[in-house]
Amino acid sequence: MLDILSNRPDLPAEIARRRTFAIISHPDAGKTTLTEKFLLYGGAIQMAGQVRAKGEARRTRSDFMKMEQDRGISVSASAMSFDFKNFRFNLVDTPGHSDFSEDTYRTLTAVDAAVMVIDGAKGVESQTQKLFEVCRLRDLPILTFCNKMDRESRDTFDIIDEIQENLAIDVTPASWPIGVGRDFLGCYDMIRDRLELMDRADRNKVAESIEINGLDDPKLAEHVPAHLLTKLREEVEMARELLPELNPQAVLEGHMTPIWFGSAINSFGVKELMDGIGVYGPEPQPQKATPRQILPEETKVSGFVFKVQANMDPKHRDRVAFVRLASGHFNRGMKLTHVRSKKPMAITNPVLFLASDRELAEEAWAGDIIGIPNHGQLRIGDTLTEGEALKVTGIPSFAPELLQTVRAGDPMKAKHLEKALMQFAEEGAAKVFKPMIGSGFIVGVVGALQFEVLGSRIELEYGLPVRFEASQFTSARWVHGSKVAVDKLVQANKQHMAEDNDGDVVYLTRLQWDIDRIGRDYPDVTLSATKEMMV
């Protein structure tokens, strides 16, 4: 693969064949279905579980939380590893629902590229735009898949224009759709000059591909009706004149996105997209850290926690930390230093994920994502190394936009509630604040649906019914400044002050006026809406 720093040595073959990417999209664009088909082509599952099929068959593989299965939405990011041709894909499926965007932001710190899924009828939607901006901040390469072409969708040039205008990125077609909606036959592969035909009868079958020599090949007429063929020839000619040519280097730098058209539910266009990820997607990239960046080819192992999932197995109250390996070759049983506590940790039972199935990972390489079961030692933002004190940077924590107080249904169980809340806070599912005055906890989230998920998880996983009540506060800000300045603020504003689960001081606000007043009255203190997930 092309590398941005050309003077770096080639990566070891095992690392170079890894492609670690996330799928981002607006809810309902078909992201979970696409994930399913990836697993189908990777040979990981035999039959893709239709998200909407009946009964047990509708349990998709990547949605393992009870609520996800009931509602058919993804609310927690899950990781999956599988082989495709000679590549090893590490795919992180992210929640599309905007109420869970923080989980998604953090996930994007752990991947090297993103696959953006767009609905052919709706084009670029608000959530896609937000997530795209995060990819932009990180200069992530982006590959685009325009889904649902077998339904009535917009004109192909319109879709491409909209992506270029809204997202300010060059778009180059890797394939071109033939017909739309009911007339959708398949695509013309513009990279390899082949005809890809869709089989509507069997959704779990790989589309057939017919080799042709360019658009003038008489064989085309045998498969494509005349009126669609004329339109295809005109459109492809226009596209080749008007749209930029595919430049692999520009894709790696994040300035250009190739777009594939298809229908994930009919398994069409997915294989071409996967080939594209293999060829144009980046190999594992260096990670930003202090005091120096970490290169994937380093022989010493290092990795960082970007997500913690509690109670994946409700019987065991376990917590699994999702760790992205940044460098080296990891073997099961290795001792790694937990940089925050400076203590060694023996990693005896690391797991690789295939959705909710997990298997012991005997080994893993830079670029892989492994799960480390633990009892709360590992938190989001933690770095693990072979002894060197490195800290991976840039994993954000955002100020919550909705605050509610939470009480246990049974007042005798307040202690249990505290434990449950701390666990969810460390998992990053919510912010938990302990006010300095009064009892009880204030829970902060980014989107309202998170309260529902939290309530249902506390009840399911801890057997604790809870109730959320309106709080007088509307948002929270982390307080930074010298100890003297912060103490002065705390003493004078006790009724507004709280601590988060890391013990950091937080100022709870009712109105923007509160924030302005602090800025005016306490010039040596800053209030911040984000906090690095570090210690």
Side-chain angles (χ1 to χ4, degrees), residues 97-364:
H97 203 291
S98 60
D99 287 2
F100 300 93
S101 48
E102 189 172 349
D103 196 17
T104 307
Y105 289 139
R106 285 201 289 261
T107 301
L108 290 174
T109 59
V111 296
D112 301 311
V115 170
M116 178 164 72
V117 183
I118 286 179
D119 181 327
K122 297 179 182 156
V124 178
E125 297 173 85
S126 57
Q127 187 60 19
T128 322
Q129 201 148 355
K130 257 177 152 173
L131 293 170
F132 180 84
E133 280 156 17
V134 180
C135 295
R136 257 299 152 75
L137 291 173
R138 301 184 48 81
D139 289 327
L140 280 183
I142 291 178
L143 305 159
T144 305
F145 183 69
C146 185
N147 193 16
K148 304 194 183 180
M149 294 306 290
D150 56 327
R151 304 193 187 169
E152 289 313 312
S153 53
R154 290 160 51 182
D155 176 72
T156 314
F157 283 108
D158 282 355
I159 294 171
I160 290 177
D161 281 351
E162 185 177 6
I163 297 172
Q164 285 185 329
E165 277 173 29
N166 281 350
L167 307 179
I169 189 169
D170 287 333
V171 181
T172 178
S175 69
W176 198 267
I178 305 169
V180 294
R182 289 199 182 139
D183 299 340
F184 181 65
L185 290 181
C187 285
Y188 179 70
D189 184 335
M190 291 178 68
I191 299 174
R192 293 175 305 184
D193 273 327
R194 305 168 76 99
L195 186 62
E196 309 285 349
L197 295 180
M198 181 170 94
D199 181 355
R200 281 180 187 259
D202 182 0
R203 291 181 157 181
N204 289 327
K205 208 178 90 180
V206 179
E208 62 173 320
S209 114
I210 294 154
E211 200 146 351
I212 49 171
N213 295 315
L215 283 168
D216 303 326
D217 192 324
K219 264 204 311 208
L220 263 172
E222 297 168 25
H223 302 283
V224 182
H227 68 289
L228 288 177
L229 187 54
T230 317
K231 187 172 180 226
L232 173 71
R233 285 180 173 141
E234 281 172 10
E235 286 186 343
V236 170
E237 198 174 318
M238 267 172 73
R240 285 192 164 144
E241 275 178 25
L242 297 173
L243 297 168
E245 213 177 308
L246 180 56
N247 171 352
Q249 188 60 38
V251 174
L252 285 181
E253 289 167 3
H255 305 316
M256 170 182 276
T257 176
I259 182 167
W260 283 264
F261 293 86
S263 158
I265 205 156
N266 289 303
S267 306
F268 181 75
V270 178
K271 190 167 126 313
E272 290 69 42
L273 172 64
M274 290 172 82
D275 284 334
I277 294 168
V279 178
Y280 303 106
E283 42 195 33
Q285 295 295 304
Q287 289 294 337
K288 292 192 177 106
T290 55
R292 61 175 187 83
Q293 69 167 358
I294 303 171
L295 301 175
E297 65 269 21
E298 290 173 25
T299 48
K300 291 203 163 167
V301 173
S302 62
F304 63 95
V305 179
F306 65 94
K307 175 183 167 61
V308 174
Q309 181 74 47
N311 304 340
M312 273 175 89
D313 179 351
K315 293 189 206 62
H316 290 141
R317 278 262 171 274
D318 66 341
R319 310 171 68 169
V320 174
F322 285 70
V323 174
R324 152 78 195 241
L325 289 180
S327 66
H329 177 200
F330 168 85
N331 286 299
R332 184 157 89 91
M334 269 181 117
K335 270 203 164 67
L336 295 178
T337 302
H338 180 218
V339 175
R340 176 166 56 91
S341 67
K342 304 186 177 60
K343 288 184 180 149
M345 274 182 89
I347 315 292
T348 47
N349 49 355
V351 286
L352 274 175
F353 298 97
L354 191 103
S356 60
D357 300 342
R358 20 175 163 170
E359 50 186 69
L360 273 180
E362 290 302 329
E363 58 166 8

Side-chain angles (χ1 to χ4, degrees), residues 389-448:
L390 293 169
K391 283 185 180 170
V392 171
T393 54
I395 300 178
S397 176
F398 297 93
E401 292 165 21
L402 301 167
L403 299 177
Q404 291 195 351
T405 52
V406 58
R407 303 198 187 284
D410 174 355
M412 303 302 287
K413 295 228 167 127
K415 224 37 202 157
H416 292 74
L417 176 64
E418 180 169 355
K419 195 174 160 203
L421 289 174
M422 286 307 157
Q423 185 142 350
F424 287 120
E426 283 171 19
E427 184 184 307
K431 303 284 177 300
V432 176
F433 303 116
K434 178 91 182 85
M436 292 185 180
I437 292 179
S439 65
F441 288 91
I442 291 178
V443 173
V445 296
V446 179

